[in-house]
Amino acid sequence: MKKIAVILSGCGVFDGAEIYESVLTLLQLAERGVDYQCMAPNIDQMHVINHLTGEVAENESRNVLVEAARLARGEIIDLATANAEDYDALIIPGGFGAAKNLSDFAVKGPECQVNADVLSFTQAMHKAGKAVGLICIAPAMTPLIFGEGATCTIGNDADTAAAIEAMGGNHESCGVSEIVIDQERKIVTTPAYMLAGSITEAASGIRKLVDQVIELA
């Protein structure tokens, strides 16, 4: 049975992994009969957002791995302990956690860096010729992980696309229900909530992405 790694970035759209995107990914993997393992870096979140008000919760801190464990129903491992040899492919759901915790793209834009554990694991998967799927804002990390010329999409947001191009990536505009595939590098991306107005719209692209990653695995 194929086994796919899923890197989560916390729990909650504004400061962690986007919950719908994460659950839709896990559901599609399960419905396709594919085993998966959730993992997350054992680090503090950049900050905590009150999801009711949208404001930063002052004097509150949360751990990315601990928060992501909520999404994974406790079945999660520290990314630092994960071995790329154990998995056939990788998927990284979106949410601002991808741009705040897995990287600092939300703060530094094209000057950003990717978390060391995320970078080493993802590059190890890539160097082994394994497919990587990135959802929503997560594809903003594409050029830093896969190198100059790597193709991805975040939908059609001009500023984010320009930042990806500035980092050496190749951005392709894409509809919410579609995916972009870099065949040479085995990278699959979809906009999801960068464009989605509903959970069904997000699901349309995520299902295609998961299916394509499984096919490439």
Side-chain angles (χ1 to χ4, degrees):
M1 181 189 282
K2 289 176 182 174
K3 187 168 188 178
I4 294 184
V6 179
I7 296 179
L8 300 175
S9 57
C11 182
V13 55
F14 299 125
D15 59 10
E18 213 294 321
I19 293 172
Y20 292 177
E21 290 176 1
S22 303
V23 173
L24 286 165
T25 297
L26 301 181
L27 176 63
Q28 186 67 9
L29 287 169
E31 288 190 338
R32 288 293 308 275
V34 175
D35 198 10
Y36 61 80
Q37 175 64 60
C38 293
M39 53 192 69
N42 186 9
I43 56 173
D44 286 339
Q45 291 182 184
M46 185 185 111
H47 58 200
V48 178
I49 297 290
N50 178 330
H51 279 62
L52 187 61
T53 65
E55 295 171 356
V56 175
E58 300 292 347
N59 304 317
E60 187 174 345
S61 66
R62 297 190 184 188
N63 177 282
V64 173
L65 178 59
V66 171
E67 291 302 296
R70 295 174 180 270
L71 268 174
R73 294 173 61 87
E75 294 294 321
I76 195 165
I77 62 171
D78 182 344
L79 176 59
T81 69
N83 186 342
E85 293 175 7
D86 297 337
Y87 305 97
D88 299 296
L90 165 66
I91 298 176
I92 307 179
F96 277 109
K100 291 178 176 179
N101 304 328
L102 304 187
S103 71
D104 54 8
F105 181 78
V107 179
K108 297 188 177 176
E111 305 299 316
C112 71
Q113 291 184 309
V114 176
N115 168 274
D117 290 334
V118 175
L119 189 65
S120 62
F121 183 81
T122 308
Q123 286 184 336
M125 294 292 290
H126 177 61
K127 284 170 185 167
K130 297 173 181 179
V132 180
L134 303 110
I135 299 168
C136 189
I137 191 64
M141 299 185 286
T142 298
L144 298 181
I145 294 171
F146 305 103
E148 201 162 324
T151 299
C152 66
T153 190
I154 46 80
N156 57 20
D157 182 78
D159 289 344
T160 309
I164 289 169
E165 298 267 352
M167 290 187 282
N170 175 35
H171 181 267
E172 283 186 18
S173 291
C174 177
V176 67
S177 63
E178 299 305 317
I179 59 176
V180 166
I181 308 166
D182 184 327
Q183 292 283 3
E184 182 191 345
R185 297 174 179 84
K186 293 188 178 178
I187 306 165
V188 189
T189 51
T190 193
Y193 274 104
M194 288 296 287
L195 288 178
S198 67
I199 190 170
T200 50
E201 283 191 356
S204 62
I206 288 171
R207 285 196 185 104
K208 287 180 182 174
L209 177 138
V210 172
D211 287 350
Q212 185 63 47
V213 168
I214 292 169
E215 195 174 305
L216 291 170

